[in-house]
Amino acid sequence: MATGRTAPYDVLDDRFRTEKCAAGDLQLETLHVGSRWAEGPLYIPAWRQLIWSDIPNDRMLRWDEATGAVSVFRSPAGHPNGNTLDRAGRLITCEQGNRRVTRTEYDGSLTVLADRYQGKRLNSPNDAAVKSDGSIWFSDPDFGITSDYEGVRGESEIGAKNVYRIDPVTGEVRLVADCFDAPNGLVFSADESELYVSDTGAGVIRVFDVRDDGTLSEGKVFADAGARKEARFDNIRFDDRGHLWVAAMNDGVHCYAQDGTLLGRILVPNTVANIRFGGPRRNRLFIAGNDTLYSLVMGVTAPAAAL
């Protein structure tokens, strides 16, 4: 709920109000309680359903928009984390426990898209983004191999935590960015000229220029958690006005202007791991907070390709 306020918005810059970021519902709606650790919400327009990952319980859940019913979508599911859709509407899932990225085909079967880099097993793929050329970009921290809680405890064969690109034609897995403490959420700018990546361990969001050949620049810091001790950056999403919305763990949901200014926050009573826009008008923000799935109908809208 609004934690003692008339609305769940904390305005830090007047643009948060004037640009309609603080418009919409005056309280969070609770859609489901009962996950052990919820992440990876993904709205699927054709189904009018939202799926999300319940990582420690090794399952994916499904919320039906028309009825409000919640059911199990897949179990076991490889301790899944991030989910997205490819350009053909197929489900892409980062499976931490199985240390791979998979695609769910139209008949429900699974195709493994990536499980190794240069012959070595991936750590635990976390989040993925699909570019308009069909390439799939994903982060690979070690959250799923450090214990048996979010995956299966094991050693890192690669010895680093990187971001990779899967070629849409050859299937080649190529390293595109390294030197992370713990790469997590990633998203392309509207024109795909930039890739934003949150680094949970370092407490920063980095932005990279995307070259025509699919490589990246060295990158720079876009946002820093800095003095906000409760903030740790997880996944990130854009709205169609260019605001970057960030799941900031114990500091709610952050909203950043294109110049990197923190404009305001959505206050959430639980730890916020992941967010995603959805709904028929793309203006409903789904929030995975600890054991709870929330939503908030907002005054901003996501680009169609961002679902």
Side-chain angles (χ1 to χ4, degrees), residues 53-263:
S53 301
D54 183 2
I55 302 175
N57 284 328
D58 192 15
R59 63 181 182 173
M60 298 171 71
L61 298 174
R62 170 173 47 199
W63 170 80
D64 186 276
E65 186 173 40
T67 66
V70 172
S71 59
V72 174
F73 173 73
R74 180 181 295 159
S75 180
H79 294 89
N81 196 320
N83 299 287
T84 194
L85 295 176
D86 70 7
R87 294 290 162 162
R90 295 169 297 188
L91 174 64
I92 305 297
T93 300
C94 295
E95 299 181 10
Q96 290 191 164
N98 291 330
R99 301 170 73 161
R100 66 188 190 180
V101 179
T102 61
R103 181 178 66 217
T104 301
E105 307 296 349
Y106 298 126
D107 63 2
S109 62
L110 294 181
T111 297
V112 177
L113 301 178
D115 61 359
R116 295 178 183 272
Y117 170 65
Q118 294 185 341
K120 299 177 181 179
R121 293 187 72 191
L122 299 171
N123 297 323
S124 55
N126 183 280
D127 198 12
V130 178
K131 201 166 177 282
S132 60
D133 64 0
S135 59
I136 298 170
W137 304 56
F138 67 94
S139 57
D140 187 40
D142 63 357
F143 302 139
I145 60 174
T146 56
S147 74
D148 292 316
Y149 186 72
E150 290 192 44
V152 180
R153 183 171 56 184
E155 297 296 324
S156 173
E157 296 184 12
I158 295 173
K161 306 160 192 175
N162 303 318
V163 172
Y164 299 95
R165 175 186 185 270
I166 304 172
D167 188 272
V169 177
T170 67
E172 175 194 11
V173 178
R174 183 169 67 184
L175 172 68
V176 291
D178 55 12
C179 299
F180 292 98
D181 186 291
N184 200 318
L186 68 169
V187 66
F188 288 101
S189 60
D191 63 2
E192 298 186 333
S193 65
E194 296 175 319
L195 178 71
Y196 290 73
V197 183
S198 67
D199 189 336
T200 301
V204 299
I205 297 171
R206 295 167 62 187
V207 56
F208 303 83
D209 293 328
V210 182
R211 303 188 183 101
D212 291 340
D213 63 356
T215 60
L216 299 177
S217 67
E218 291 187 4
K220 61 184 178 181
V221 173
F222 170 77
D224 191 327
R228 304 196 70 87
K229 301 300 183 182
E230 297 297 312
R232 287 187 297 137
F233 297 144
D234 204 301
N235 91 316
I236 51 182
R237 307 304 304 173
F238 274 111
D239 66 30
D240 64 358
R241 298 188 183 194
H243 304 111
L244 185 67
W245 296 83
V246 181
M249 304 297 279
N250 292 324
D251 207 39
V253 179
H254 286 192
C255 176
Y256 290 89
Q258 294 179 29
D259 61 9
T261 302
L262 177 59
L263 301 182

